[in-house]
Amino acid sequence: MPNLKPNCPHCERLEKANRGELESLVWQTDHVIVIAGDHQYFPGYCVVIAKKHIREIHNLPEAEALAIFADVMAVGRVIERGFKPLKMNYVSLGNVDEHLHWHVMPRYHSDPDHKDHPWKNAASFATRLTNSDAIKQIRSIFSTS
Ligand SMILES: [Zn+2]
C-alpha cells in the first residue's frame, strides 16, 4: 500500500484489509475501501476510505479525484437500492482523522431528526453498534449490485 501513515486509524484499516483481516470491509475499488460504519443508527451506514493517506481531495491528480467521487456515488447508489432511505448524506470532514474519507449515511423518515445533521443523536449511536449480521447484510447488497 502506498503512502500509509503510522497511528492513523484509516491507514490501520487499510493494512488490515490488505491482510484480509478487516471484518467490516464490504467493498473496494482501485482507489477506496468501503467499510460498514461502526454503528447502524442509520441502517446501511458505510464509510468510504481513500487507499492513500491524503488530507485533501483537491491535491490528488484530477483523474484520481474524479474516480474517487465516482466510487462515493456508486456507494450511495448501492445503499439507496438496498435500504430505500429517504435521503443520503455524504460527509467528508477529516478534522479528527486527517485521511480522506466519507461518511455515507442513509437517512430515514423514522429518524425524527432526519432534517438535521447526522450527529445530532450521536449519544444514541452506541445503542445500535454494527454487528456481524449487519456487515454480512451490507456486503451482500454490494456483491449483488
Ligand atoms: Zn491514513
Side-chain angles (χ1 to χ4, degrees):
M1 296 298 258
N3 187 26
L4 297 184
K5 188 177 175 199
N7 303 316
C8 168
H10 292 314
C11 285
E12 288 169 8
R13 289 184 181 98
L14 290 168
E15 288 174 341
K16 270 187 155 181
N18 227 14
R19 296 193 303 263
E21 296 170 0
L22 188 63
E23 192 203 355
S24 60
L25 183 71
V26 295
W27 194 51
Q28 64 179 311
T29 69
D30 290 345
H31 299 287
V32 303
I33 63 169
V34 182
I35 64 171
D38 59 0
H39 65 79
Q40 293 295 304
Y41 187 83
F42 310 114
Y45 163 42
C46 289
V47 182
V48 180
I49 302 170
K51 286 188 172 178
K52 285 182 180 171
H53 183 93
I54 185 160
R55 292 178 70 199
E56 308 292 356
I57 194 164
H58 58 256
N59 290 333
L60 287 170
E62 185 164 336
E64 194 174 339
L66 293 176
I68 289 175
F69 276 126
D71 291 341
V72 172
M73 287 187 286
V75 169
R77 279 193 290 271
V78 169
I79 295 170
E80 182 179 58
R81 190 161 47 243
F83 288 88
K84 311 282 189 260
L86 171 67
K87 175 80 179 77
M88 297 299 300
N89 286 177
Y90 298 89
V91 185
S92 182
L93 299 172
N95 301 319
V96 177
D97 296 326
E98 295 182 345
H99 178 137
L100 184 64
H101 65 283
W102 277 262
H103 300 272
V104 183
M105 301 172 124
R107 306 298 299 274
Y108 299 89
H109 269 299
S110 55
D111 172 358
D113 297 310
H114 64 264
K115 294 198 174 188
D116 217 317
H117 66 83
W119 278 273
K120 181 168 185 181
N121 294 306
S124 300
F125 290 172
T127 64
R128 300 186 206 171
L129 293 179
T130 300
N131 59 28
S132 57
D133 286 342
I135 294 167
K136 280 179 200 153
Q137 181 191 9
I138 295 170
R139 197 178 290 144
S140 76
I141 289 166
F142 275 90
S143 70
T144 56
S145 292

